[in-house]
Amino acid sequence: MQTSFKYLIGVDGGGSGTRIIVATSELEILTQAEGPPSALGQGIEKAWRAIMATLALAFSNAKINAPMLSECAIGLGLSGANNI
């Protein structure tokens, strides 16, 4: 089991758009991107497509080849998700 990751990804997803930030495991910010809405109210599949497209844009903006997902840790805050 992998315990450390090369990239840390933060996602702020809502009805007005998706904002992503990518950092190294040492918390150095590498890139950011904004993309289409990823609110869960529009459906999980559509939300994931928006997130993945915005993530690809973020890596492209930084001229970093898209890594394998196993190299990434991701935290998501999406509208329509509830914690009780």
Side-chain angles (χ1 to χ4, degrees), residues 6 19-20 24-25 34 43 46-47 65-66 69 75 78 80-81:
K6 187 171 182 178
R19 287 146 301 279
I20 288 183
T24 67
S25 59
E34 293 188 19
K46 189 171 181 181
N65 291 331
L69 293 179
L78 305 177

Side-chain angles (χ1 to χ4, degrees), residues 12-67:
D12 173 14
S16 64
T18 300
R19 287 146 301 279
I20 288 183
I21 190 165
V22 179
T24 67
S25 59
E26 291 81 32
L27 303 180
E28 175 190 349
I29 296 173
L30 298 174
T31 186
Q32 301 178 67
E34 293 188 19
S38 59
L40 293 175
Q42 65 187 1
I44 294 170
E45 198 171 308
K46 189 171 181 181
W48 270 117
R49 280 195 305 268
I51 292 164
M52 294 306 289
T54 307
L55 184 57
L57 177 61
F59 280 111
S60 176
N61 287 345
K63 299 185 179 10
I64 299 171
N65 291 331

